[in-house]
Amino acid sequence: MATPALLLTAHGSRDVRFGATARAVAAAVAEALRGVRVELAYLDLNAPLIGDALAGLSGPVTVVPLLFGDGFHSKIDLPALLAEAHAADASLAARQMPIVGRHSPVPALVDRLTEAGFVDDGRTGVLMYAVGSSDAGSDASIRERGEHPLLQWHVWRDGDTRSFTPFRPSNMLTRDYLPFA
């Protein structure tokens, strides 16, 4: 039986910290899911691009979008890339999972802030930010993150600022989430 393959797909960024964070997520997932081939690829701006990563895979591949909003990238871009890769190699059976953002990352944020020693002293703030989407439903789901009941702190937002929170892969990508684990 072939080793299951998991392709983590992230947006990509010109900020070098983004790539370092994405690689750390992939390493943590690989550690948690021993026996699973874990690869990382990007929609844009970083290498390898998703199409290039898929060209190096065959057989069943579970594709997990490391996206918080279920918008254009997860509904249009990624399915098109998967279909294109399958057209090029019919042995590739890539299955796209829901975005990790369907699970609220707020509990992980609260845990991480607590671990880091954050104390709500009324003077220190936590900024949660996302650039938004052309998809209104995606924007609405991201905005809900700032209204999560675990967030007891003052949240500053204006009409153009969306809520965004970091996450720990151990809270998002569990064996319960993945179909082959």
Side-chain angles (χ1 to χ4, degrees):
M1 183 172 158
T3 301
L6 172 67
L7 179 62
L8 302 175
T9 60
H11 185 278
S13 173
R14 288 180 182 87
D15 187 330
V16 296
R17 295 172 296 179
F18 179 87
T21 300
R23 288 187 298 277
V25 168
V29 171
E31 177 68 25
L33 299 175
R34 292 176 187 245
V36 174
R37 179 179 175 180
V38 177
E39 300 288 338
L40 172 65
Y42 303 90
L43 286 157
D44 195 14
L45 302 172
N46 296 95
L49 294 174
I50 293 168
D52 297 333
L54 288 168
L57 298 170
S58 63
V61 177
T62 301
V63 179
V64 177
L66 300 179
L67 302 169
F68 284 102
D70 196 16
F72 188 83
H73 290 309
S74 62
K75 293 177 182 176
I76 306 297
D77 286 343
L78 188 53
L81 290 167
L82 299 180
E84 184 178 301
H86 179 73
D89 178 1
S91 73
L92 180 68
R95 177 179 174 204
Q96 181 178 334
M97 300 301 293
I99 60 166
V100 295
R102 77 179 183 148
H103 303 287
S104 176
V106 172
L109 170 66
V110 172
D111 289 347
R112 181 63 190 106
L113 288 170
T114 301
E115 289 169 8
F118 179 80
V119 176
D120 183 12
D121 60 8
R123 297 175 303 167
T124 305
V126 176
L127 175 65
M128 298 184 301
Y129 177 82
V131 294
S133 172
S134 60
D135 185 285
S138 177
D139 280 351
S141 69
I142 295 299
R143 194 172 294 112
E144 289 173 10
R145 300 300 181 245
E147 298 164 1
H148 194 284
L150 285 177
L151 292 178
Q152 302 295 317
W153 309 295
H154 303 285
V155 178
W156 172 85
R157 288 184 289 136
D158 67 30
D160 295 325
T161 303
R162 282 28 174 232
S163 300
F164 173 82
T165 55
F167 67 95
R168 290 189 309 207
S170 60
N171 291 359
M172 298 296 163
L173 298 176
T174 65
R175 290 197 175 267
D176 293 334
Y177 176 80
L178 300 171
F180 54 77

